[in-house]
Amino acid sequence: HPQGGRKPIYLSLNENFGGILGLEIQPGNYKAVFVNLHGGILYKKSNSLFGDNIESSLLEIINELLSEIEKLNIPVLSICLGLPGIIDSENCKVIKSEPFNLSNFSFQDFCEKNLRIPFLIENDANCLAWLQLTRKRKTDLRDFLVVMAEEHSNGIGVGVSLTFDNKV
């Protein structure tokens, strides 16, 4: 006779355990989205970007977004920033961003001084590649090219991202 065991206990993530704040900053504007652990959109906003200092502008934007998201009673687990330029995402550093006149700027230092939330930064075109990998995760999307072109207040920006074997 077959031996039984304990009845299985099915587990799942509490989608409202926390969320991720995604932020894209371009010259002249920003877009923000707060998603739960299942990818559901809980909040989104876009607005103009003012000021010459990226640090003070970013801090002002993040503080405003966090105060609005706080009303949802869902903790912010991480902030992910997409920015045009050459980005060292492993070290949370902008190597060069022409549109924002940044060179060797450490977001790691910025975050340690101003935020108590884990912070990631990535090139904006690479963010689009990660988005495609996430949206197509049930398919065999392995190698592809993302080309992004945007008109900004200070010119046209073009970004390229390569993905090989599901690695951006």
PDB file of all heavy atoms in Angstrom, residues 89-118:
ATOM      1  N   SER A  89      27.445  49.342 -13.063  1.00  0.00           N
ATOM      2  CA  SER A  89      26.348  48.988 -12.160  1.00  0.00           C
ATOM      3  C   SER A  89      26.823  48.185 -10.957  1.00  0.00           C
ATOM      4  O   SER A  89      26.237  48.279  -9.884  1.00  0.00           O
ATOM      5  CB  SER A  89      25.243  48.251 -12.915  1.00  0.00           C
ATOM      6  OG  SER A  89      25.743  47.102 -13.539  1.00  0.00           O
ATOM      7  N   GLU A  90      27.891  47.406 -11.114  1.00  0.00           N
ATOM      8  CA  GLU A  90      28.394  46.613  -9.988  1.00  0.00           C
ATOM      9  C   GLU A  90      28.898  47.496  -8.855  1.00  0.00           C
ATOM     10  O   GLU A  90      28.768  47.151  -7.686  1.00  0.00           O
ATOM     11  CB  GLU A  90      29.497  45.662 -10.449  1.00  0.00           C
ATOM     12  CG  GLU A  90      28.976  44.488 -11.226  1.00  0.00           C
ATOM     13  CD  GLU A  90      30.075  43.497 -11.578  1.00  0.00           C
ATOM     14  OE1 GLU A  90      31.042  43.368 -10.801  1.00  0.00           O
ATOM     15  OE2 GLU A  90      29.947  42.864 -12.626  1.00  0.00           O
ATOM     16  N   ASN A  91      29.489  48.628  -9.205  1.00  0.00           N
ATOM     17  CA  ASN A  91      30.028  49.543  -8.197  1.00  0.00           C
ATOM     18  C   ASN A  91      29.164  50.779  -7.989  1.00  0.00           C
ATOM     19  O   ASN A  91      29.591  51.724  -7.329  1.00  0.00           O
ATOM     20  CB  ASN A  91      31.456  49.949  -8.572  1.00  0.00           C
ATOM     21  CG  ASN A  91      32.393  48.768  -8.517  1.00  0.00           C
ATOM     22  OD1 ASN A  91      32.459  48.071  -7.504  1.00  0.00           O
ATOM     23  ND2 ASN A  91      33.098  48.514  -9.608  1.00  0.00           N
ATOM     24  N   CYS A  92      27.964  50.768  -8.585  1.00  0.00           N
ATOM     25  CA  CYS A  92      26.997  51.866  -8.415  1.00  0.00           C
ATOM     26  C   CYS A  92      27.651  53.213  -8.759  1.00  0.00           C
ATOM     27  O   CYS A  92      27.616  54.159  -7.978  1.00  0.00           O
ATOM     28  CB  CYS A  92      26.452  51.858  -6.984  1.00  0.00           C
ATOM     29  SG  CYS A  92      24.853  52.653  -6.810  1.00  0.00           S
ATOM     30  N   LYS A  93      28.244  53.274  -9.958  1.00  0.00           N
ATOM     31  CA  LYS A  93      29.026  54.447 -10.337  1.00  0.00           C
ATOM     32  C   LYS A  93      28.717  54.868 -11.771  1.00  0.00           C
ATOM     33  O   LYS A  93      28.552  54.030 -12.650  1.00  0.00           O
ATOM     34  CB  LYS A  93      30.510  54.094 -10.206  1.00  0.00           C
ATOM     35  CG  LYS A  93      31.467  55.218 -10.432  1.00  0.00           C
ATOM     36  CD  LYS A  93      32.882  54.743 -10.173  1.00  0.00           C
ATOM     37  CE  LYS A  93      33.862  55.862 -10.290  1.00  0.00           C
ATOM     38  NZ  LYS A  93      35.227  55.445 -10.020  1.00  0.00           N
ATOM     39  N   VAL A  94      28.638  56.160 -11.986  1.00  0.00           N
ATOM     40  CA  VAL A  94      28.516  56.702 -13.341  1.00  0.00           C
ATOM     41  C   VAL A  94      29.928  56.999 -13.820  1.00  0.00           C
ATOM     42  O   VAL A  94      30.617  57.852 -13.258  1.00  0.00           O
ATOM     43  CB  VAL A  94      27.672  57.992 -13.368  1.00  0.00           C
ATOM     44  CG1 VAL A  94      27.624  58.569 -14.773  1.00  0.00           C
ATOM     45  CG2 VAL A  94      26.280  57.733 -12.840  1.00  0.00           C
ATOM     46  N   ILE A  95      30.364  56.290 -14.835  1.00  0.00           N
ATOM     47  CA  ILE A  95      31.691  56.548 -15.397  1.00  0.00           C
ATOM     48  C   ILE A  95      31.649  57.833 -16.213  1.00  0.00           C
ATOM     49  O   ILE A  95      32.489  58.698 -16.069  1.00  0.00           O
ATOM     50  CB  ILE A  95      32.164  55.344 -16.243  1.00  0.00           C
ATOM     51  CG1 ILE A  95      32.331  54.132 -15.318  1.00  0.00           C
ATOM     52  CG2 ILE A  95      33.450  55.673 -16.981  1.00  0.00           C
ATOM     53  CD1 ILE A  95      32.556  52.825 -16.037  1.00  0.00           C
ATOM     54  N   LYS A  96      30.607  57.953 -17.064  1.00  0.00           N
ATOM     55  CA  LYS A  96      30.453  59.169 -17.881  1.00  0.00           C
ATOM     56  C   LYS A  96      28.997  59.293 -18.296  1.00  0.00           C
ATOM     57  O   LYS A  96      28.397  58.343 -18.799  1.00  0.00           O
ATOM     58  CB  LYS A  96      31.344  59.077 -19.129  1.00  0.00           C
ATOM     59  CG  LYS A  96      31.360  60.315 -19.959  1.00  0.00           C
ATOM     60  CD  LYS A  96      32.290  61.339 -19.380  1.00  0.00           C
ATOM     61  CE  LYS A  96      32.443  62.509 -20.311  1.00  0.00           C
ATOM     62  NZ  LYS A  96      32.843  63.699 -19.624  1.00  0.00           N
ATOM     63  N   SER A  97      28.406  60.454 -18.067  1.00  0.00           N
ATOM     64  CA  SER A  97      27.066  60.763 -18.549  1.00  0.00           C
ATOM     65  C   SER A  97      27.086  62.173 -19.108  1.00  0.00           C
ATOM     66  O   SER A  97      27.067  63.156 -18.366  1.00  0.00           O
ATOM     67  CB  SER A  97      26.025  60.649 -17.428  1.00  0.00           C
ATOM     68  OG  SER A  97      24.755  61.028 -17.913  1.00  0.00           O
ATOM     69  N   GLU A  98      27.162  62.261 -20.437  1.00  0.00           N
ATOM     70  CA  GLU A  98      27.202  63.569 -21.104  1.00  0.00           C
ATOM     71  C   GLU A  98      25.961  64.413 -20.791  1.00  0.00           C
ATOM     72  O   GLU A  98      26.091  65.586 -20.477  1.00  0.00           O
ATOM     73  CB  GLU A  98      27.355  63.389 -22.621  1.00  0.00           C
ATOM     74  CG  GLU A  98      28.709  62.889 -23.052  1.00  0.00           C
ATOM     75  CD  GLU A  98      29.817  63.912 -22.900  1.00  0.00           C
ATOM     76  OE1 GLU A  98      29.538  65.128 -22.904  1.00  0.00           O
ATOM     77  OE2 GLU A  98      30.974  63.494 -22.754  1.00  0.00           O
ATOM     78  N   PRO A  99      24.746  63.824 -20.879  1.00  0.00           N
ATOM     79  CA  PRO A  99      23.564  64.662 -20.651  1.00  0.00           C
ATOM     80  C   PRO A  99      23.530  65.309 -19.266  1.00  0.00           C
ATOM     81  O   PRO A  99      22.966  66.376 -19.094  1.00  0.00           O
ATOM     82  CB  PRO A  99      22.395  63.689 -20.812  1.00  0.00           C
ATOM     83  CG  PRO A  99      22.931  62.552 -21.601  1.00  0.00           C
ATOM     84  CD  PRO A  99      24.380  62.457 -21.259  1.00  0.00           C
ATOM     85  N   PHE A 100      24.126  64.651 -18.263  1.00  0.00           N
ATOM     86  CA  PHE A 100      24.119  65.201 -16.910  1.00  0.00           C
ATOM     87  C   PHE A 100      25.482  65.735 -16.474  1.00  0.00           C
ATOM     88  O   PHE A 100      25.669  66.087 -15.318  1.00  0.00           O
ATOM     89  CB  PHE A 100      23.617  64.150 -15.919  1.00  0.00           C
ATOM     90  CG  PHE A 100      22.159  63.863 -16.079  1.00  0.00           C
ATOM     91  CD1 PHE A 100      21.731  62.678 -16.650  1.00  0.00           C
ATOM     92  CD2 PHE A 100      21.213  64.796 -15.692  1.00  0.00           C
ATOM     93  CE1 PHE A 100      20.383  62.419 -16.812  1.00  0.00           C
ATOM     94  CE2 PHE A 100      19.862  64.548 -15.850  1.00  0.00           C
ATOM     95  CZ  PHE A 100      19.441  63.360 -16.416  1.00  0.00           C
ATOM     96  N   ASN A 101      26.435  65.762 -17.400  1.00  0.00           N
ATOM     97  CA  ASN A 101      27.768  66.279 -17.127  1.00  0.00           C
ATOM     98  C   ASN A 101      28.387  65.609 -15.895  1.00  0.00           C
ATOM     99  O   ASN A 101      28.938  66.270 -15.015  1.00  0.00           O
ATOM    100  CB  ASN A 101      27.715  67.810 -16.967  1.00  0.00           C
ATOM    101  CG  ASN A 101      29.086  68.438 -17.092  1.00  0.00           C
ATOM    102  OD1 ASN A 101      29.965  67.896 -17.755  1.00  0.00           O
ATOM    103  ND2 ASN A 101      29.265  69.569 -16.447  1.00  0.00           N
ATOM    104  N   LEU A 102      28.257  64.279 -15.835  1.00  0.00           N
ATOM    105  CA  LEU A 102      28.824  63.508 -14.726  1.00  0.00           C
ATOM    106  C   LEU A 102      30.013  62.706 -15.212  1.00  0.00           C
ATOM    107  O   LEU A 102      30.003  62.166 -16.313  1.00  0.00           O
ATOM    108  CB  LEU A 102      27.786  62.532 -14.154  1.00  0.00           C
ATOM    109  CG  LEU A 102      26.582  63.126 -13.443  1.00  0.00           C
ATOM    110  CD1 LEU A 102      25.617  62.019 -13.049  1.00  0.00           C
ATOM    111  CD2 LEU A 102      27.005  63.930 -12.231  1.00  0.00           C
ATOM    112  N   SER A 103      31.021  62.626 -14.367  1.00  0.00           N
ATOM    113  CA  SER A 103      32.193  61.820 -14.667  1.00  0.00           C
ATOM    114  C   SER A 103      32.705  61.221 -13.358  1.00  0.00           C
ATOM    115  O   SER A 103      32.929  61.952 -12.384  1.00  0.00           O
ATOM    116  CB  SER A 103      33.262  62.701 -15.311  1.00  0.00           C
ATOM    117  OG  SER A 103      34.384  61.933 -15.668  1.00  0.00           O
ATOM    118  N   ASN A 104      32.847  59.902 -13.331  1.00  0.00           N
ATOM    119  CA  ASN A 104      33.309  59.184 -12.134  1.00  0.00           C
ATOM    120  C   ASN A 104      32.521  59.590 -10.890  1.00  0.00           C
ATOM    121  O   ASN A 104      33.086  59.902  -9.849  1.00  0.00           O
ATOM    122  CB  ASN A 104      34.811  59.390 -11.913  1.00  0.00           C
ATOM    123  CG  ASN A 104      35.608  58.744 -13.016  1.00  0.00           C
ATOM    124  OD1 ASN A 104      35.344  57.608 -13.404  1.00  0.00           O
ATOM    125  ND2 ASN A 104      36.569  59.474 -13.549  1.00  0.00           N
ATOM    126  N   PHE A 105      31.198  59.558 -11.018  1.00  0.00           N
ATOM    127  CA  PHE A 105      30.306  59.926  -9.917  1.00  0.00           C
ATOM    128  C   PHE A 105      29.848  58.667  -9.196  1.00  0.00           C
ATOM    129  O   PHE A 105      29.290  57.757  -9.809  1.00  0.00           O
ATOM    130  CB  PHE A 105      29.107  60.709 -10.437  1.00  0.00           C
ATOM    131  CG  PHE A 105      28.151  61.111  -9.371  1.00  0.00           C
ATOM    132  CD1 PHE A 105      28.426  62.211  -8.566  1.00  0.00           C
ATOM    133  CD2 PHE A 105      26.987  60.395  -9.154  1.00  0.00           C
ATOM    134  CE1 PHE A 105      27.537  62.585  -7.561  1.00  0.00           C
ATOM    135  CE2 PHE A 105      26.103  60.760  -8.165  1.00  0.00           C
ATOM    136  CZ  PHE A 105      26.375  61.865  -7.364  1.00  0.00           C
ATOM    137  N   SER A 106      30.083  58.603  -7.894  1.00  0.00           N
ATOM    138  CA  SER A 106      29.725  57.429  -7.103  1.00  0.00           C
ATOM    139  C   SER A 106      28.337  57.575  -6.489  1.00  0.00           C
ATOM    140  O   SER A 106      28.138  58.375  -5.574  1.00  0.00           O
ATOM    141  CB  SER A 106      30.750  57.189  -5.992  1.00  0.00           C
ATOM    142  OG  SER A 106      30.312  56.150  -5.146  1.00  0.00           O
ATOM    143  N   PHE A 107      27.383  56.814  -7.016  1.00  0.00           N
ATOM    144  CA  PHE A 107      26.068  56.796  -6.393  1.00  0.00           C
ATOM    145  C   PHE A 107      26.123  56.016  -5.083  1.00  0.00           C
ATOM    146  O   PHE A 107      25.272  56.184  -4.225  1.00  0.00           O
ATOM    147  CB  PHE A 107      25.016  56.203  -7.335  1.00  0.00           C
ATOM    148  CG  PHE A 107      24.345  57.248  -8.170  1.00  0.00           C
ATOM    149  CD1 PHE A 107      24.763  57.492  -9.460  1.00  0.00           C
ATOM    150  CD2 PHE A 107      23.318  58.013  -7.662  1.00  0.00           C
ATOM    151  CE1 PHE A 107      24.165  58.463 -10.237  1.00  0.00           C
ATOM    152  CE2 PHE A 107      22.712  58.996  -8.424  1.00  0.00           C
ATOM    153  CZ  PHE A 107      23.136  59.221  -9.712  1.00  0.00           C
ATOM    154  N   GLN A 108      27.129  55.171  -4.934  1.00  0.00           N
ATOM    155  CA  GLN A 108      27.318  54.446  -3.672  1.00  0.00           C
ATOM    156  C   GLN A 108      27.516  55.449  -2.528  1.00  0.00           C
ATOM    157  O   GLN A 108      26.863  55.356  -1.492  1.00  0.00           O
ATOM    158  CB  GLN A 108      28.529  53.512  -3.778  1.00  0.00           C
ATOM    159  CG  GLN A 108      28.731  52.633  -2.574  1.00  0.00           C
ATOM    160  CD  GLN A 108      27.703  51.533  -2.494  1.00  0.00           C
ATOM    161  OE1 GLN A 108      27.259  51.026  -3.505  1.00  0.00           O
ATOM    162  NE2 GLN A 108      27.302  51.181  -1.301  1.00  0.00           N
ATOM    163  N   ASP A 109      28.391  56.417  -2.731  1.00  0.00           N
ATOM    164  CA  ASP A 109      28.623  57.454  -1.715  1.00  0.00           C
ATOM    165  C   ASP A 109      27.361  58.280  -1.486  1.00  0.00           C
ATOM    166  O   ASP A 109      26.999  58.587  -0.344  1.00  0.00           O
ATOM    167  CB  ASP A 109      29.777  58.377  -2.133  1.00  0.00           C
ATOM    168  CG  ASP A 109      31.116  57.656  -2.199  1.00  0.00           C
ATOM    169  OD1 ASP A 109      31.242  56.557  -1.621  1.00  0.00           O
ATOM    170  OD2 ASP A 109      32.036  58.199  -2.844  1.00  0.00           O
ATOM    171  N   PHE A 110      26.686  58.648  -2.576  1.00  0.00           N
ATOM    172  CA  PHE A 110      25.443  59.416  -2.485  1.00  0.00           C
ATOM    173  C   PHE A 110      24.418  58.677  -1.635  1.00  0.00           C
ATOM    174  O   PHE A 110      23.786  59.255  -0.758  1.00  0.00           O
ATOM    175  CB  PHE A 110      24.897  59.671  -3.901  1.00  0.00           C
ATOM    176  CG  PHE A 110      23.487  60.183  -3.926  1.00  0.00           C
ATOM    177  CD1 PHE A 110      23.224  61.526  -3.696  1.00  0.00           C
ATOM    178  CD2 PHE A 110      22.428  59.328  -4.187  1.00  0.00           C
ATOM    179  CE1 PHE A 110      21.921  62.000  -3.718  1.00  0.00           C
ATOM    180  CE2 PHE A 110      21.129  59.795  -4.213  1.00  0.00           C
ATOM    181  CZ  PHE A 110      20.874  61.135  -3.987  1.00  0.00           C
ATOM    182  N   CYS A 111      24.264  57.375  -1.871  1.00  0.00           N
ATOM    183  CA  CYS A 111      23.265  56.584  -1.152  1.00  0.00           C
ATOM    184  C   CYS A 111      23.626  56.410   0.317  1.00  0.00           C
ATOM    185  O   CYS A 111      22.760  56.485   1.180  1.00  0.00           O
ATOM    186  CB  CYS A 111      23.102  55.222  -1.805  1.00  0.00           C
ATOM    187  SG  CYS A 111      22.422  55.353  -3.443  1.00  0.00           S
ATOM    188  N   GLU A 112      24.894  56.165   0.582  1.00  0.00           N
ATOM    189  CA  GLU A 112      25.320  55.996   1.975  1.00  0.00           C
ATOM    190  C   GLU A 112      25.085  57.272   2.782  1.00  0.00           C
ATOM    191  O   GLU A 112      24.759  57.202   3.958  1.00  0.00           O
ATOM    192  CB  GLU A 112      26.787  55.564   2.035  1.00  0.00           C
ATOM    193  CG  GLU A 112      26.978  54.124   1.614  1.00  0.00           C
ATOM    194  CD  GLU A 112      28.450  53.715   1.553  1.00  0.00           C
ATOM    195  OE1 GLU A 112      29.333  54.536   1.883  1.00  0.00           O
ATOM    196  OE2 GLU A 112      28.702  52.560   1.167  1.00  0.00           O
ATOM    197  N   LYS A 113      25.217  58.429   2.138  1.00  0.00           N
ATOM    198  CA  LYS A 113      24.994  59.698   2.830  1.00  0.00           C
ATOM    199  C   LYS A 113      23.517  60.028   2.991  1.00  0.00           C
ATOM    200  O   LYS A 113      23.124  60.632   3.977  1.00  0.00           O
ATOM    201  CB  LYS A 113      25.649  60.859   2.057  1.00  0.00           C
ATOM    202  CG  LYS A 113      27.144  60.955   2.194  1.00  0.00           C
ATOM    203  CD  LYS A 113      27.666  62.268   1.623  1.00  0.00           C
ATOM    204  CE  LYS A 113      27.530  62.280   0.121  1.00  0.00           C
ATOM    205  NZ  LYS A 113      28.158  63.433  -0.530  1.00  0.00           N
ATOM    206  N   ASN A 114      22.678  59.638   1.997  1.00  0.00           N
ATOM    207  CA  ASN A 114      21.315  60.173   1.931  1.00  0.00           C
ATOM    208  C   ASN A 114      20.180  59.159   2.068  1.00  0.00           C
ATOM    209  O   ASN A 114      19.055  59.564   2.336  1.00  0.00           O
ATOM    210  CB  ASN A 114      21.133  60.918   0.598  1.00  0.00           C
ATOM    211  CG  ASN A 114      22.097  62.069   0.447  1.00  0.00           C
ATOM    212  OD1 ASN A 114      22.050  63.017   1.206  1.00  0.00           O
ATOM    213  ND2 ASN A 114      22.996  61.976  -0.523  1.00  0.00           N
ATOM    214  N   LEU A 115      20.438  57.887   1.838  1.00  0.00           N
ATOM    215  CA  LEU A 115      19.341  56.911   1.809  1.00  0.00           C
ATOM    216  C   LEU A 115      19.647  55.716   2.690  1.00  0.00           C
ATOM    217  O   LEU A 115      20.793  55.368   2.902  1.00  0.00           O
ATOM    218  CB  LEU A 115      19.113  56.417   0.372  1.00  0.00           C
ATOM    219  CG  LEU A 115      18.746  57.457  -0.670  1.00  0.00           C
ATOM    220  CD1 LEU A 115      18.777  56.848  -2.049  1.00  0.00           C
ATOM    221  CD2 LEU A 115      17.377  58.043  -0.377  1.00  0.00           C
ATOM    222  N   ARG A 116      18.604  55.066   3.135  1.00  0.00           N
ATOM    223  CA  ARG A 116      18.754  53.831   3.895  1.00  0.00           C
ATOM    224  C   ARG A 116      18.087  52.669   3.147  1.00  0.00           C
ATOM    225  O   ARG A 116      17.614  51.724   3.756  1.00  0.00           O
ATOM    226  CB  ARG A 116      18.141  53.972   5.281  1.00  0.00           C
ATOM    227  CG  ARG A 116      18.800  55.021   6.137  1.00  0.00           C
ATOM    228  CD  ARG A 116      18.555  54.741   7.599  1.00  0.00           C
ATOM    229  NE  ARG A 116      19.144  55.725   8.465  1.00  0.00           N
ATOM    230  CZ  ARG A 116      20.414  55.726   8.839  1.00  0.00           C
ATOM    231  NH1 ARG A 116      21.229  54.807   8.404  1.00  0.00           N
ATOM    232  NH2 ARG A 116      20.865  56.654   9.651  1.00  0.00           N
ATOM    233  N   ILE A 117      18.066  52.782   1.847  1.00  0.00           N
ATOM    234  CA  ILE A 117      17.428  51.780   0.982  1.00  0.00           C
ATOM    235  C   ILE A 117      18.468  51.310  -0.022  1.00  0.00           C
ATOM    236  O   ILE A 117      19.177  52.138  -0.609  1.00  0.00           O
ATOM    237  CB  ILE A 117      16.219  52.392   0.248  1.00  0.00           C
ATOM    238  CG1 ILE A 117      15.172  52.890   1.250  1.00  0.00           C
ATOM    239  CG2 ILE A 117      15.588  51.391  -0.705  1.00  0.00           C
ATOM    240  CD1 ILE A 117      14.060  53.696   0.620  1.00  0.00           C
ATOM    241  N   PRO A 118      18.572  49.999  -0.254  1.00  0.00           N
ATOM    242  CA  PRO A 118      19.504  49.530  -1.306  1.00  0.00           C
ATOM    243  C   PRO A 118      19.194  50.207  -2.639  1.00  0.00           C
ATOM    244  O   PRO A 118      18.038  50.420  -2.992  1.00  0.00           O
ATOM    245  CB  PRO A 118      19.234  48.025  -1.368  1.00  0.00           C
ATOM    246  CG  PRO A 118      18.694  47.683  -0.020  1.00  0.00           C
ATOM    247  CD  PRO A 118      17.896  48.897   0.412  1.00  0.00           C
TER     248      PRO A 118
END
